[in-house]
Amino acid sequence: MNATAQESQFLVLIVDDEPFIRMILRHFLEREGYKIVEAQNGREALTAFNQQHPDIILLDAIMPDMDGFECCTQLELLDCSKHTPVLMITGLEDQESVDRAFAVGAMDYVTKPIHWPVLRQRVKRLIEQSQLQQKLETVNLELQRLVTIDGLTQVANRRRFEEYLDQEWQRLKREQRPLSLILCDVDFFKLYNDTYGHRVGDRCLQEIAKAIKDIIKRPSDLVARYGGEEFAVILPNTDTEGATHIAEEICHAVRTLAIPHQNSQVSPHVTISVGFTTEIPQLDSNLEEIIAAADRALYQAKAAGRDRFVQNILLPKSKNSR
């Protein structure tokens, strides 16, 4: 047997309406170490693909009911098929059929009668290319994640905050739905660093970031590190009642951490001040308004004694604050 340990992990879907062709393809590929699943027409192939998720599809071009060209077209519509190469098997060697095979998404083709060394190399090459593409996409996704994540706290960084706020502002402006923004500032954090050292200060920020992140449940919400000891929370489709609840929970969660802060002027433990606002973006409004309003509310929370939240509600044509 020529199979390597890696090849034995790969699953090949053979699609052909002739049982004899399927049998000889199965025997050949099993000797090469591949696992096999079969389908006798395009419709069965789509079902088998959704159930088995093969690593490559050997697809006969000419079949009754749904031929290989139509089957390939249908496979292209499935999101999960983007990494699965299709090797078309055809008895037609004319340029039009070859062009059509590539046009519907086939990665390569072999002609009947099958030349087995050619089939062996093409199956191996297409699977290797597919595996490499998946690895590259995984690496690229991780690089994109790292570009948008704050290295210390593992929440979104300032760049991601600004991108996402602009995106949601524009979307909610079109939909005329509310957007809430929360800004948080760790109370007397400079004194904390001076007292316990920057390494302990870093751990404190990490714990607070995790506590805030644990509160934010919806995938559409975003927690970000806004500055040194400042955090921000973007809450799309959230009214003042919802934002008030989250702001209260953030303050409570930081208190519950009970991180000692002997030089704090408001508590023997680390606390946080929170300011937030809610706005339905208007056509003539600017997202800087919502940042400024949340920042004013945060300033009011600090001026009122810290360890609390203050809201600054922005509504069309009016401003109310408490």
Side-chain angles (χ1 to χ4, degrees):
M1 182 175 290
N2 298 323
T4 65
Q6 185 178 14
E7 284 172 337
S8 66
Q9 300 171 10
F10 297 128
L11 178 65
V12 180
L13 170 58
I14 299 172
V15 189
D16 199 299
D17 62 311
E18 297 183 31
F20 178 70
I21 298 293
R22 294 202 307 273
M23 181 187 72
I24 59 175
L25 282 168
R26 171 187 279 275
H27 288 169
F28 173 76
L29 291 166
E30 283 181 338
R31 285 200 306 271
E32 295 298 314
Y34 298 104
K35 293 182 288 186
I36 306 298
V37 62
E38 296 180 23
Q40 62 183 349
N41 56 53
R43 297 191 189 284
E44 282 190 11
L46 293 173
T47 300
F49 176 83
N50 284 318
Q51 292 176 347
Q52 302 289 334
H53 304 294
D55 296 289
I56 188 171
I57 302 171
L58 271 58
L59 183 59
D60 188 27
I62 307 303
M63 295 181 292
D65 191 18
M66 179 188 288
D67 65 17
F69 299 108
E70 176 61 23
C71 179
C72 201
T73 299
Q74 294 299 318
L75 285 166
E76 284 284 291
L77 300 176
L78 303 174
D79 286 343
C80 56
S81 73
K82 66 177 182 176
H83 293 302
T84 307
V86 174
L87 179 62
M88 194 79 83
I89 300 175
T90 177
L92 307 172
E93 228 175 329
D94 60 285
Q95 189 62 45
E96 183 181 348
S97 296
V98 171
D99 290 344
R100 187 181 175 197
F102 286 119
V104 296
M107 296 298 293
D108 207 340
Y109 73 99
V110 292
T111 55
K112 297 178 182 177
I114 296 170
H115 191 249
W116 299 107
V118 171
L119 179 65
R120 175 190 296 116
Q121 290 303 317
R122 290 187 179 173
V123 168
K124 182 179 179 182
R125 176 177 57 82
L126 288 174
I127 290 177
E128 287 175 347
Q129 287 178 347
S130 172
Q131 295 291 306
L132 179 59
Q133 183 183 2
Q134 290 181 60
K135 288 177 181 176
L136 288 173
E137 288 194 11
T138 299
V139 169
N140 285 334
L141 285 172
E142 178 61 15
L143 288 174
Q144 290 175 20
R145 188 191 73 83
L146 291 174
V147 166
T148 61
I149 293 294
D150 176 64
L152 176 66
T153 61
Q154 295 301 296
V155 297
N157 59 18
R158 179 68 174 264
R159 171 181 172 178
R160 177 58 181 154
F161 164 82
E162 291 175 347
E163 290 175 349
Y164 191 65
L165 183 61
D166 181 63
Q167 170 191 314
E168 292 303 291
W169 179 268
Q170 300 303 330
R171 180 177 70 86
L172 295 170
K173 182 185 290 187
R174 293 191 300 270
E175 297 176 6
Q176 282 298 281
R177 299 283 299 162
L179 173 67
S180 290
L181 174 63
I182 298 175
L183 295 182
C184 314
D185 189 276
V186 182
D187 295 327
F188 301 109
F189 189 70
K190 184 179 184 305
L191 282 173
Y192 186 90
N193 270 337
D194 291 344
T195 304
Y196 300 100
H198 288 276
R199 290 178 65 85
V200 178
D202 286 348
R203 287 199 295 272
C204 173
L205 291 177
Q206 289 169 341
E207 288 187 51
I208 290 172
K210 184 180 184 303
I212 297 173
K213 196 172 181 181
D214 287 345
I215 293 167
I216 308 305
K217 305 296 184 186
R218 300 183 309 179
S220 60
D221 299 337
L222 182 80
V223 181
R225 189 179 180 191
Y226 189 67
E229 68 271 19
E230 292 182 305
F231 295 93
V233 182
I234 300 172
L235 302 169
N237 290 308
T238 303
D239 58 18
T240 54
E241 183 179 356
T244 299
H245 175 70
I246 295 296
E248 189 172 19
E249 281 202 328
I250 290 172
C251 290
H252 176 72
V254 173
R255 292 188 202 108
T256 303
L257 291 173
I259 301 171
H261 189 351
Q262 66 185 39
N263 287 325
S264 170
Q265 297 175 26
V266 295
S267 169
H269 299 102
V270 170
T271 57
I272 199 165
S273 296
V274 175
F276 70 95
T277 189
T278 300
E279 182 171 358
I280 298 175
Q282 300 302 296
L283 293 177
D284 59 349
S285 61
N286 188 301
L287 68 83
E288 294 299 326
E289 295 176 9
I290 195 170
I291 298 174
D295 198 50
R296 285 195 299 272
L298 176 59
Y299 177 81
Q300 292 166 14
K302 292 179 181 180
R306 305 179 193 247
D307 186 23
R308 69 193 64 214
F309 65 91
V310 169
Q311 56 182 319
N312 185 343
I313 309 168
L314 294 180
L315 297 172
K317 306 298 183 182
S318 66
K319 292 184 180 181
N320 301 312
S321 62
R322 185 185 73 184

